[in-house]
Every structure is written in C-alpha cells, then in structure tokens.
Amino acid sequence: GKHRIVIPCLGHFKEEYEKVSKLYMNNKIRTTRYTLLNFLPRNLFEQFHRIANLYFLFLAVLNWVPLVEAFQKEITMLPLIGVLTIIAVKDGLEDYSRYKMDKQINNLVTKVYSR
C-alpha cells in the first residue's frame, strides 16, 4: 500500500523538534461532516432546514391534534420518515466515501527535501 511519511532532516535538533511539534496540530486532511456520535442530531438539524421537511413535520404534528385529525396519526408520519431515512442514508454513504478518500490521501507517500 501507499503511505505518506514526512521525515524532517533536522540532525541534532531532532529532540527539540519533537518537543515543539507536540504543540501544533497534525496536517491530516478531514473533509467529512459527521462522526459516529453526531451523525443523527446533525443530519436531522440539516434536514429540517429544508422547507419541505418542515411542511411534512407540521402536517404530522397537526394530525396529532384531535380536532384537526384527518388521517390515522401513523400514516401522516410515513412520508416524513421515508424522506428523512432516504436522505440520511444518502448523506451517510457520501460521508463514508469522503472518509475513505481522506484516509487514502493521508496515507500517501510523501518525499521531503531539505537543503
């Protein structure tokens, strides 16, 4: 496999470099939006910024009011749940492909030239 290794040519300053380099962030590329912990809340937050999803949510909530109930409560939730699930799966697959691409880029072999 391909690996990305950066080795500085510091000679006798290697110990000083190791102390100083711990203070800085690494240079790994991360283009993913989600982690396993924040996927569901963040994805729902992003999806409810769409007007259509808010409309279907409004209809589902409105149908739970006994005076306005037009259909069975569960039936009005099906379109919303279906759309949210399909979009969540699509976003999850796209983010996973970004994760795999980031991992591939971060593991490339890199040459470092020193004067």
Side-chain angles (χ1 to χ4, degrees), residues 52-105:
N53 291 344
L54 286 175
Y55 173 74
F56 283 117
L57 178 65
F58 174 72
L59 289 179
V61 169
L62 191 62
N63 203 33
W64 284 85
V65 177
L67 294 174
V68 189
E69 183 178 348
F71 306 107
Q72 291 180 354
K73 296 173 183 168
E74 296 80 17
I75 291 177
T76 57
M77 294 172 54
L78 287 178
L80 179 64
I81 291 172
V83 168
L84 293 179
T85 303
I86 290 170
I87 294 174
V89 168
K90 177 190 70 85
D91 288 345
L93 291 174
E94 286 176 355
D95 207 54
Y96 182 68
S97 66
R98 278 192 219 109
Y99 166 76
K100 288 189 338 187
M101 186 62 75
D102 292 346
K103 192 174 181 180
Q104 181 181 1
I105 290 172

